[in-house]
Amino acid sequence: MAVFLLDDHEVVRRGVRDLLEAEPDIRVVGEAGTASSALARIPALRPDVAVLDVRLPDGDGVTVCREIRSRMPEVACLMLTSFGDDEALFDAIMAGAAGYVLKQIRGTDLVGAVRTVASGESMLDARAAGQVMARLRDQSHKRDPLAGLTPQERRILELIGEGLTNRQIGERMFLAEKTVKNYVSALFAKLGMERRTQAAAYAVRVFDERDGAGHGGSPAD
């Protein structure tokens, strides 16, 4: 797999490069020390995984992640930082990052994290995942998280949470697949999300909380 490294410390980049390239199936195709350089180089190199430092001299890795995910959604972004910053963690996940690890991580675990996000899975340690869920829960208590969605969009979000594809949702709701795709794009924009996995996890949490509050869910098929 091809990996790109972004970190403003050359020593850190060199160490991570040596660690990754010791693996027979991993190749570091490029690196950068600034956000602007990364945004210029990553589209041309088309890596499978971008390992991004959160704090940079000309910006931050979260912004780089958001830009790369919007232009190249196939690139998995793994945030690597020396700071346990709850705000940055939340922002990174909402920007589409597939994982977030601290630089104190062991070398073998970092290699494992790169392989995990390259395979399309998420990589969050239990502490980080707990922080994100707590933050989302706090936000949902302050307002109705689905207030901006139409009834159709709410139903589609619920079906995304059940793991259905656009085609399957169309069959369930008697809609054309293209129509479902348009609904999905609209609700992603309203919720500020870019990845289907984000929406699925969000839907499970929101609708489970509503069921628990006595709203009652749909009967199982």
Side-chain angles (χ1 to χ4, degrees):
M1 69 192 73
V3 178
F4 186 92
L5 304 178
L6 169 60
D7 195 292
D8 59 333
H9 294 100
E10 182 185 358
V11 172
V12 173
R13 293 201 308 272
R14 184 174 299 178
V16 174
R17 173 190 282 272
D18 290 346
L19 179 70
L20 295 178
E21 292 198 324
E23 302 296 317
D25 60 332
I26 299 178
R27 179 170 54 97
V28 176
V29 295
E31 58 183 69
T34 63
S36 58
S37 178
L39 288 171
R41 300 195 66 201
I42 290 176
L45 295 170
R46 308 194 71 82
D48 300 301
V49 178
V51 179
L52 309 174
D53 188 13
V54 170
R55 299 177 187 270
L56 299 164
D58 64 336
D60 59 83
V62 173
T63 301
V64 174
C65 174
R66 186 178 295 109
E67 286 289 320
I68 293 302
R69 291 290 306 167
S70 66
R71 291 155 59 181
M72 304 173 65
E74 71 277 10
V75 177
C77 294
L78 177 65
M79 313 308 296
L80 180 64
T81 180
S82 55
F83 302 94
D85 186 336
D86 294 353
E87 189 74 24
L89 165 62
F90 182 82
D91 290 345
I93 299 306
M94 297 312 293
Y100 190 108
V101 294
L102 298 179
K103 289 180 179 177
Q104 294 91 321
I105 190 172
R106 292 186 305 172
T108 54
D109 291 338
L110 177 58
V111 172
V114 169
R115 288 202 175 102
T116 296
V117 300
S119 69
E121 299 178 27
S122 294
M123 175 66 208
L124 276 179
D125 61 41
R127 182 192 68 83
Q131 289 173 348
V132 171
M133 294 307 293
R135 176 74 175 273
L136 288 172
R137 196 175 298 114
D138 289 344
Q139 285 191 345
S140 71
H141 288 163
K142 294 175 183 176
R143 61 179 176 81
D144 179 358
L146 305 180
L149 302 185
T150 67
Q152 285 279 66
E153 289 168 349
R154 290 184 186 217
R155 178 58 179 154
I156 288 173
L157 178 62
E158 189 172 8
L159 294 176
I160 288 175
E162 293 178 15
L164 273 62
T165 64
N166 286 353
R167 177 175 296 180
Q168 291 169 329
I169 292 173
E171 292 171 354
R172 182 79 66 90
M173 298 182 65
F174 305 103
L175 297 171
E177 185 176 356
K178 184 176 181 182
T179 301
V180 174
K181 184 177 180 181
N182 290 337
Y183 274 122
V184 170
S185 296
L187 72 88
F188 277 18
K190 290 180 180 180
L191 295 175
M193 297 180 179
E194 298 175 358
R195 305 180 73 194
R196 198 177 187 91
T197 50
Q198 288 175 322
Y202 184 75
V204 169
R205 183 186 60 77
V206 169
F207 291 112
D208 278 357
E209 283 187 355
R210 287 178 170 237
D211 290 346
H215 291 272
S218 301
D221 292 333

